[in-house]
Amino acid sequence: MASLRDQLVHALDIDPPQGTLAWLHTGPLAQAMKVARGREADTLREVEALLADPASSPRLRRNAVPLLAQLHVATGKVPSAEEIYDAAQRGERFDPQRALKQSLERLLGDGDLEVRIAAAVELLQIANPADLPPLRAQLTPLLPELR
């Protein structure tokens, strides 16, 4: 049996289906989520390693960004009311998606334009109104490519 990393490479290093009958085929994200089922935490570590590996193909890295977001959501810890209350008492804003946002913000500085754009798209999907002013400054260099 192939390793988790090999299965992820096989699932992610493909072009998304195109054409009239594309809906019949599953895309890279769906295939990778099937690989991850039941071992999301391990898959998250592997996806982060694949994104950091300079030997990974640009297509694989681009397709791994939405998977990274999905896995962060799937492995996220549901905070207790006490944790939320304690954060507020310390003057901190509790953000259950902090780890995901930090991962995606690191990818905004990636050398590959398509990875930066994919990270920007994922960040915009989870942004709170309070996140928008600093996010606007980070995304300004990508505006010509996002149009």
Side-chain angles (χ1 to χ4, degrees):
M1 175 135 196
S3 70
L4 177 60
R5 185 182 189 102
D6 291 341
Q7 290 176 5
L8 285 171
V9 168
H10 179 72
L12 292 171
D13 202 8
I14 58 172
D15 286 323
Q18 297 177 357
T20 328
L21 299 176
W23 59 272
L24 287 173
H25 305 287
T26 59
L29 177 61
Q31 289 184 18
M33 287 302 290
K34 287 177 186 175
V35 170
R37 190 171 297 133
R39 48 188 178 174
E40 287 84 0
D42 294 335
T43 306
L44 179 59
R45 284 190 290 280
E46 284 297 327
V47 168
E48 288 173 340
L50 285 169
L51 282 166
D53 186 1
S56 296
S57 75
R59 178 176 48 197
L60 181 143
R61 296 180 78 244
R62 176 193 65 225
N63 290 337
V65 175
L67 177 62
L68 176 79
Q70 292 291 321
L71 291 172
H72 266 283
V73 171
T75 60
K77 182 182 149 233
V78 177
S80 68
E82 294 163 344
E83 291 172 320
I84 296 171
Y85 179 76
D86 289 344
Q89 291 297 319
R90 290 189 306 267
E92 299 172 2
R93 191 177 134 246
F94 184 80
D95 188 1
Q97 296 177 330
R98 181 175 293 145
L100 172 57
K101 289 177 183 176
Q102 290 171 346
S103 292
L104 292 172
E105 286 172 358
R106 278 193 302 274
L107 292 175
L108 288 177
D110 194 85
D112 186 354
L113 176 64
E114 290 190 19
V115 171
R116 290 193 311 261
I117 290 173
V121 168
E122 294 297 328
L123 265 172
L124 287 170
Q125 289 182 19
I126 61 168
N128 296 323
D131 297 335
L132 293 178
L135 191 56
R136 185 175 294 124
Q138 289 177 306
L139 297 181
T140 299
L142 289 174
L143 282 178
E145 285 81 12
L146 289 173
R147 293 175 196 242

